[in-house]
Amino acid sequence: MHKKVVIIPTYNEKENIENIVRAVFALEGDYHILVIEDGSPDGTADIVRRLQTEFPERLHMIERKGKLGLGTAYLTGFKWSLEQGYDYIFEMDADFSHNPADLPRLYSACADEGADLAIGSRYCNGISVINWPIGRVIMSYYASVYVRTVLGMKVFDTTAGFKCYSRRVLETIDLDKVQMKGYGFQIEMKYTAYKLGFKVQEVPVIFVDRTAGTSKMSSSIFGEAFWGVMKLRLRNIRPRKK
């Protein structure tokens, strides 16, 4: 059986973390979880530590000293996951905007259908977003249109953060050269995989905005993504040197 790990970055997710951990572990397929905890003052790490006594082999945590950015959280998780020998590495939010029940569909796209990177896509089958203000839906949708146009990448949801990577994608990408740290990180990782010739497949999902806790979205995150896409277009992307 393939070794699978779901990376979940957290900052002030005490309302969600226990429920999301239990939802993932209730799935068939022996999924493991790695929480990247960025010094939440609300006690998120304490909840994870308590759960680790219940799931000692499956629940892991890396604690960092404060908010260091979404991109660096995932890069830390990727490197750890490769060192631990996982075959498939997932990205997922803690707040249930990504439905844990969709994890097997992303896994199947890679393990059964030959994708190297599977994306839980809000936009490949119309617009599948619930509870977002219309302004945010429009901004997110047209951000993906902009990215697709500038980069020439045939992906409808370029900013999606619900993904499954096969191990060889993360082994091939030079993780130390990844530059964007916010939501631009999601664009950069997809584009890098695409340019390196990996098969990228979108899996339609329904995205539901969080009902507990607070969003970490900001205008500076969008600014980084906007200008970063221009720079990405000009970058010469090469695989990591072995």
Side-chain angles (χ1 to χ4, degrees):
M1 182 183 285
H2 294 133
K3 287 184 68 179
K4 304 181 287 292
V5 64
V6 182
I7 302 173
I8 303 178
T10 56
Y11 183 77
N12 285 350
E13 292 290 355
K14 70 176 182 181
E15 295 97 340
N16 294 305
I17 189 61
E18 179 164 359
N19 289 335
I20 200 78
V21 165
R22 292 192 183 281
V24 172
F25 287 161
L27 299 170
E28 292 184 8
D30 194 32
Y31 292 83
H32 290 197
I33 292 174
L34 171 64
V35 174
I36 309 290
E37 215 311 282
D38 270 7
S40 302
D42 72 346
T44 298
D46 293 331
I47 297 169
V48 176
R49 276 191 285 272
R50 172 170 57 78
L51 290 167
Q52 283 181 306
T53 64
E54 187 177 343
F55 305 104
E57 303 297 320
R58 299 174 68 190
L59 180 57
H60 311 278
M61 178 168 62
I62 295 174
E63 295 186 68
R64 307 197 303 170
K65 306 276 192 232
K67 289 182 74 174
L68 300 174
L70 182 77
T72 66
Y74 277 125
L75 292 171
T76 297
F78 293 160
K79 291 175 181 178
W80 180 91
S81 300
L82 292 175
E83 287 169 5
Q84 299 300 316
Y86 286 98
D87 302 301
Y88 292 97
I89 297 105
F90 298 79
E91 295 183 16
M92 191 173 77
D93 291 348
D95 60 10
F96 283 93
S97 54
H98 304 145
N99 186 346
D102 289 325
L103 287 169
R105 297 173 59 227
L106 295 180
Y107 168 67
S108 180
C110 290
D112 302 324
E113 298 171 33
D116 299 300
L117 167 58
I119 301 167
S121 177
R122 298 163 290 186
Y123 305 132
C124 70
N125 198 8
I127 297 177
S128 300
V129 176
I130 295 174
N131 291 344
W132 263 9
I134 188 65
R136 188 169 171 190
V137 173
I138 291 169
M139 183 166 61
S140 173
Y141 179 79
Y142 281 103
S144 277
V145 171
Y146 162 75
V147 172
R148 199 160 68 244
T149 303
V150 172
L151 297 181
M153 180 171 55
K154 294 183 178 69
V155 172
F156 285 95
D157 195 348
T158 56
T159 60
F162 192 22
K163 297 189 280 186
C164 174
Y165 294 90
S166 69
R167 177 185 181 85
R168 67 195 193 102
V169 175
L170 298 180
E171 285 179 326
T172 304
I173 292 174
D174 191 338
L175 299 176
D176 292 325
K177 296 271 179 67
V178 176
Q179 295 179 11
M180 290 197 262
K181 299 296 185 279
Y183 279 77
F185 165 82
Q186 303 291 13
I187 301 167
E188 183 173 352
M189 288 296 294
K190 292 182 191 73
Y191 184 63
T192 303
Y194 170 76
K195 288 295 284 185
L196 291 173
F198 289 108
K199 181 184 176 184
V200 179
Q201 180 174 327
E202 290 184 270
V203 175
V205 300
I206 296 174
F207 180 97
V208 182
D209 196 22
R210 66 163 64 235
T211 57
T214 55
S215 173
K216 316 304 186 296
M217 183 67 73
S218 71
S219 58
S220 63
I221 284 172
F222 270 103
E224 180 211 45
F226 181 87
W227 296 110
V229 167
M230 295 288 195
K231 294 175 184 173
L232 256 184
R233 184 77 175 82
L234 303 172
R235 197 184 310 166
N236 186 13
I237 294 171
R238 291 193 174 98
R240 181 176 69 87
K241 290 191 172 111
K242 302 292 186 193

